[in-house]
Amino acid sequence: MKKAMHDEHIPVALERTIELLTPALSVTSPYLIDATLGLGGHTEKLLERFADLHVIGIDRDKSALEKAAARLARFNERVTLVHAVYDQIANVASERGLTQVQGILFDLGVSSMQLDQSDRGFAYSHDAPLDMRMDQSTGVSAVEVVNNYSHEELTRIIREYGEEKFASRIAARIIDARKVAPVTSTIALAQIIKESIPAATRRTGGNPAKRTFQALRIYVNNEIDVLERAIPAALELLAISGRMVVLSYHSLEDRIIKRAFAHVSTSEVPHGLPVEPEPTSYHLLTRSSESASAEEMESNPRAQSVRIRAIERRAA
Ligand SMILES: C[S@@+](CC[C@H](N)C(=O)[O-])C[C@H]1O[C@@H](n2cnc3c(N)ncnc32)[C@H](O)[C@@H]1O
């Protein structure tokens, strides 16, 4: 038990991430934006490894920023922490006088801390109010979605963001259940999902609640739209010889990264800008997505689903 708790806090694909970023960060006074700072695990190791690196760490979760601030305090002014959604990456950089950075890291999804915090409602294994907002100060929470949305809307969310084939059955059962009493806890929702899925399917494929919980989390935090805006903005921010690494954990996220990287690495006209000041091109550093090593998957459950992609900006 102790081992599992400890392992969950090890940053995923740490060595590979550092290896991919190293050429870009081996310059004088490099800057890296950690767009998903979380508990600062990757950032801490990068600051240790590169003596004059400065990191701007973004997170939309204030409690993650507080914990990261304590962990990273010894690096003093080499770290700047920013409470923001990562599609604001260009503004975050420009407000600090930066138009280009040498490295960018996205380690997507929720952190182990968010899953462990029993009051956040991310985990189907802890009984908690259904919330699931990464920034609890704003937006619609999962309890509002589950108790107010129509069958059609719930089905779409669960199917599209959870890739759940029993979406319509789950939505119907949620609606039946909430006629009796509002569905307000994670355990109550997990039970409804379990009952919606045919018994034969329940025996295979892990916890049946996993996909629906993922779907609600993605919807509540508007994760797909935000990511679709953030990746092109981040690509624009890379300096020549700058590198970006993205760790994603499900196919919807990975597809967005794959497409955005393919778009800039294959198009002849540099993407987006009407007038490119200096012709640049992007080169994929990972042919297709990479997985974590077998040893890492064995010791860190979160690493089992990671897909690693990296790209470099070059002078054309
Ligand atoms: C997997 S954790 C990062 C863990 C981190 N790499 C570490 O080693 O400690 C992802 C973090 O990204 C944050 N996050 C997710 N989506 C975000 C967004 N759109 N904007 C800003 N932060 C986001 C979450 O709040 C969470 O703290």
Side-chain angles (χ1 to χ4, degrees), residues 21-32:
L21 290 169
T22 291
L25 302 184
S26 304
V27 296
T28 311
S29 303
Y31 272 81
L32 173 121

Side-chain angles (χ1 to χ4, degrees), residues 248-262:
S248 37
Y249 296 89
H250 56 76
S251 51
L252 287 175
E253 283 171 347
D254 186 51
R255 222 174 291 146
I256 293 170
I257 311 307
K258 181 180 172 182
R259 284 207 199 115
F261 281 13

Side-chain angles (χ1 to χ4, degrees), residues 34 38 41 57 77 111 113 122 144 156 166 196 205 240 270-271 292 294:
D34 183 343
E77 70 286 350
S111 67
M113 176 201 74
F122 287 113
E144 293 170 62
R156 185 190 70 78
F166 300 113
S196 318
I240 304 286
H271 69 301

